[in-house]
């Protein structure tokens, strides 16, 4: 169990947030009194009676609560990072909201499954735009197959019922299936698409304004927005004739003086840090330029016997759990991808949850601030740390954290990452990047475990930097940066 006092402290921050963030990510005025009324520590979901209408009404209420919570959480990062006068002192309120939202999401999935068991609907998980949503359809008499969820017996019955039957089939009670489905459909995809369209319109408006200012300025080429990027599209300094356009991720590229770094990779139960859980963290250290520190152990046994530690040191693997409700549902997709079966990772089985373990968060934060940390598609890890690690957001905003990303290294400096029909932006997955850089042989694939993926990432990065230095490309090219590079906030470069 976690210390619940921090939830009260988080609510104590509401006046700071209310003054700086009156509206949520959808432009709706936030009812901060409603936020204050929520029991963040013990749950904001609805527990229904086992009747069709009660299950329907509980699901409808939980969807509405989740939409309100997530629209607030989605705005918090922008409000916090642009709070230049530091009215908001802590990021613990968004972390508390995300904590509650994860449990609410578990409750929603439990209700979805309960409805299936009682033949109220059939659930399919479908990709819609930017996300995957649960789509409900009327029950047709045949039991659905769903690879994304395990089986959960919510009937409370035991006995000789066959494993293939649902709880409703095993029960003497037969429920009618006349509940409405239109008002209990997951609206997440539509909400995200609408937000993206608003952001697109705002960017277009800004560009149009900048262009108008440039035209009005008699100096022409030297006006804001009027000058082309020095060096044109080739300014990224690619090692070959392939010149990808500059990208916002380029801020995460390393500099030519980068040396000691920590590579980190996390495995999670899904892709949304406000809905899902961190279940595996792996990290290790490696020096990109200086010798490996003396006195460090010479060998380390990775899961893959063909991995050699090489210059890596300080390896660590951390395993975390999920709430009983999440474990009961299972997660076949994550089990197949990582080999981690969350059904055996319940907190009741002795696994501690990362978002309920302050000591684990503090230990990880100490490591993240000691030197730059490296991740492949680092914005993923960053978003999870923001909503899971106490003190991370504050440290990042203060400039105490530097992030390096090997994904833009692959996109900008790797000749093998040229766009193809299959990969319009180039194949820059960790698996492909590691193989091109000699960190993973073609007979094996990325393991999707934190430590092993951190290892091949750092080995690939070191090989890549050595090749770029020899060619005077990348950080050592005309557009390369001095220093360690990477992305950080709150200080000048």
């Amino acid at each position: 169990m976690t210390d619940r006092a921090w939830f009260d402290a988080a609510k104590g921050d509401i006046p700071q947030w209310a003054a700086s963030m009156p509206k949520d990510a959808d432009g709706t005025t936030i009812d901060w009194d409603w936020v204050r009324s929520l029991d963040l520590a013990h749950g904001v979901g609805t527990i229904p009676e086992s009747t069709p209408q009660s299950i329907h009404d509980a699901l409808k209420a939980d969807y509405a609560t989740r939409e309100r919570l997530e629209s607030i959480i989605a705005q918090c990062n922008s409000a916090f990072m642009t709070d230049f006068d530091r009215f908001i002192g802590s990021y613990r309120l968004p972390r508390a909201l995300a904590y509650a939202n994860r449990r609410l999401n578990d409750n929603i999935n439990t209700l979805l499954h309960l409805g299936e068991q009682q033949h109220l609907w059939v659930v399919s998980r479908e990709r819609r735009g930017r996300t995957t949503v649960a789509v409900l359809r009327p029950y047709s008499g045949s039991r659905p197959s769903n690879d994304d969820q395990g089986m959960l017996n919510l009937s409370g019955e035991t006995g000789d019922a066959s494993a293939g039957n649902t709880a409703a089939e095993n029960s003497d009670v037969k429920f009618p299936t006349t509940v409405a489905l239109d008002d209990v459909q997951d609206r997440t995809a539509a909400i995200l698409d609408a937000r993206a369209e608003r952001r697109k319109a705002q960017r277009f408006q800004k560009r149009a304004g900048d262009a108008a200012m440039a035209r009005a300025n008699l100096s022409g080429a030297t006006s804001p927005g009027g000058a082309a990027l020095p060096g044109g599209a080739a300014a990224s300094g690619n090692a070959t004739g392939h010149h990808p356009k500059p990208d916002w991720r380029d801020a995460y590229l390393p500099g030519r003086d980068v040396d000691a770094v920590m590579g980190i990779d996390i495995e999670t139960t899904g892709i949304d840090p406000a809905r899902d859980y961190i279940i595996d963290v792996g990290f290790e250290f490696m020096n990109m330029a200086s010798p490996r520190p003396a006195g460090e152990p010479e060998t380390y046994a990775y899961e893959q016997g063909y991995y050699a530690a090489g210059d890596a040191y300080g390896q660590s693997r951390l395993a975390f759990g999920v709430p009983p409700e999440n474990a009961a549902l299972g997660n076949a997709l994550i089990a197949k991808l990582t080999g981690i079966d969350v059904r055996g990772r319940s907190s009741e089985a002795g696994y501690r949850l990362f978002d309920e373990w302050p000591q684990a968060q503090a230990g990880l934060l100490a490591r993240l601030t000691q030197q730059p940390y490296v991740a492949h598609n680092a914005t993923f890890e960053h978003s999870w740390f923001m909503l899971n690690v106490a003190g991370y957001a504050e440290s990042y905003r203060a400039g105490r954290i530097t992030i390096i990303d090997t994904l833009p290294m692959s996109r900008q400096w790797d000749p093998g990452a040229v766009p193809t029909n299959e990969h319009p932006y180039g194949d820059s997955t960790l698996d492909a990047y590691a193989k091109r850089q000699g960190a993973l042989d073609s007979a094996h694939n990325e393991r999707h475990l934190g430590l092993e993926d951190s290892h091949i990432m750092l080995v690939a990065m070191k090989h890549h930097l050595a090749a770029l230095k020899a060619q005077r490309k990348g950080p050592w090219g005309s557009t390369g940066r001095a220093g360690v590079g990477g992305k950080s906030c709150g200080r000048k470069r």
Side-chain angles (χ1 to χ4, degrees):
M1 295 297 290
T2 187
D3 179 6
R4 306 290 176 177
W6 78 276
F7 292 98
D8 294 331
K11 284 189 176 182
D13 297 337
I14 286 177
Q16 303 169 20
W17 285 92
S20 301
M21 196 177 87
K23 294 187 177 182
D24 62 23
D26 299 317
T28 303
T29 299
I30 299 171
D31 183 351
W32 287 106
D33 288 333
W34 174 78
V35 176
R36 191 177 286 106
S37 72
L38 297 174
D39 188 349
L40 302 177
H42 299 98
V44 297
T46 305
I47 307 299
E49 297 176 359
S50 293
T51 64
Q53 195 60 44
S54 296
I55 295 170
H56 166 279
D57 292 348
L59 181 59
K60 182 179 179 180
D62 281 1
Y63 271 150
T65 300
R66 188 175 73 177
E67 288 176 10
R68 293 181 73 177
L69 273 177
E70 291 185 348
S71 64
I72 296 172
I73 295 169
Q75 188 65 18
C76 286
N77 180 73
S78 177
F80 187 75
M81 297 308 299
T82 58
D83 177 30
F84 303 115
D85 293 320
R86 300 299 190 258
F87 291 128
I88 306 172
S90 172
Y91 207 69
R92 59 191 166 195
L93 180 61
R95 288 194 297 107
L97 297 180
Y99 176 97
N101 196 68
R102 291 182 198 107
R103 277 76 183 166
L104 174 62
N105 198 59
D106 291 342
N107 200 65
I108 287 172
N109 287 327
T110 299
L111 290 171
L112 290 172
H113 198 90
L114 181 58
E116 279 193 302
Q117 288 185 311
Q118 297 192 1
H119 296 175
L120 307 183
W121 49 62
V122 173
V123 181
S124 62
R125 308 279 171 170
E126 299 179 10
R127 187 73 184 179
R128 299 280 179 89
R130 293 165 172 78
T131 189
T132 299
V133 298
V135 179
L136 305 189
R137 294 185 173 86
Y139 178 75
S140 62
S142 61
R143 183 170 171 269
S145 174
N146 189 350
D147 291 337
D148 289 338
Q149 297 292 332
M151 292 305 299
L152 175 65
N153 187 342
L154 297 176
S155 67
E157 296 185 9
T158 58
D160 58 358
S162 66
N165 293 336
T166 65
E169 291 167 339
N170 294 336
S171 172
D172 292 334
V173 179
K174 298 298 181 182
F175 292 114
T177 59
T178 56
V179 297
L181 299 184
D182 289 347
D183 59 350
V184 286
Q185 296 292 353
D186 188 343
R187 301 194 320 122
T188 303
I191 292 170
L192 294 180
D193 287 346
R195 284 181 195 161
E197 286 301 314
R198 284 194 296 272
R199 290 194 298 268
K200 181 179 179 181
Q202 290 167 357
R203 289 194 299 269
F204 177 82
Q205 187 176 24
K206 182 180 184 303
R207 286 196 296 267
D210 291 344
M213 289 178 62
R215 287 192 297 269
N217 192 317
L218 295 178
S219 60
T222 60
S223 64
L229 176 71
S236 57
N238 194 286
T240 69
H242 168 51
H243 302 301
K245 294 180 180 179
D247 187 273
W248 60 268
R249 297 178 184 84
D250 293 353
Y252 294 86
L253 290 168
R256 55 180 169 266
D257 300 315
V258 65
D259 188 16
V261 297
M262 183 183 83
I264 189 166
D265 183 76
I266 63 175
E267 303 301 331
T268 61
T269 60
I271 62 172
D272 190 336
R275 293 187 183 182
D276 302 305
Y277 299 90
I278 294 175
I279 53 175
D280 182 77
V281 176
F283 59 83
E284 67 178 25
F285 300 84
M286 187 176 290
N287 296 352
M288 296 292 115
S290 63
R292 184 174 181 274
E296 293 288 342
E298 293 293 331
T299 59
Y300 184 87
Y302 297 92
E303 185 191 68
Q304 282 75 9
Y306 50 86
Y307 280 10
D311 295 334
Y313 59 96
Q315 297 91 339
S316 185
R317 187 196 308 276
L318 308 172
F320 301 100
V322 296
E325 296 79 9
N326 188 284
L329 287 167
N331 195 320
L333 179 64
I334 296 303
K336 181 179 180 180
L337 182 68
T338 68
I340 300 173
D341 189 344
V342 298
R343 292 176 298 180
R345 286 285 184 97
S346 169
S347 56
E348 293 180 340
Y351 281 87
R352 296 195 65 173
L353 278 66
F354 184 73
D355 65 359
E356 292 188 352
W357 198 345
Q359 294 81 4
Q361 296 169 35
L364 182 58
L365 179 62
R367 289 168 172 80
L368 293 171
T369 55
Q370 285 174 356
Q371 68 292 296
Y373 79 81
V374 181
H376 196 79
N377 189 19
T379 53
F380 180 81
E381 274 75 13
H382 174 70
S383 67
W384 284 81
F385 295 157
M386 289 286 288
L387 289 177
N388 279 273
V389 179
Y392 177 88
E394 295 86 344
S395 295
Y396 177 72
R397 188 175 69 172
R400 293 193 292 271
I401 289 175
T402 299
I403 311 171
I404 295 173
D405 194 341
T406 51
L407 177 60
M409 286 185 64
S410 175
R411 285 183 169 180
Q412 297 290 2
W413 297 335
D414 187 341
V418 292
T420 63
N421 290 335
E422 185 178 0
H423 299 282
Y425 300 100
D427 190 354
S428 293
T429 62
L430 176 58
D431 184 86
Y433 177 63
K435 287 176 178 175
R436 289 196 299 267
Q437 299 303 326
L440 186 64
D441 65 69
S442 59
H444 300 95
N445 294 319
E446 174 189 356
R447 179 59 185 84
H448 292 292
L449 281 178
L451 179 57
E452 280 69 24
D453 290 356
S454 296
H455 183 64
I456 62 171
M457 173 187 68
L458 288 184
V459 173
M461 178 181 176
K462 188 163 186 173
H463 289 179
H464 195 188
L465 286 174
L468 291 169
K469 185 175 183 180
Q471 299 165 8
R472 307 303 297 174
K473 301 288 186 179
W476 293 272
S478 60
T479 60
R481 288 188 290 171
V484 300
K487 178 75 162 58
S488 61
C489 293
R491 64 172 183 241
K492 294 181 180 180
R493 299 186 181 282

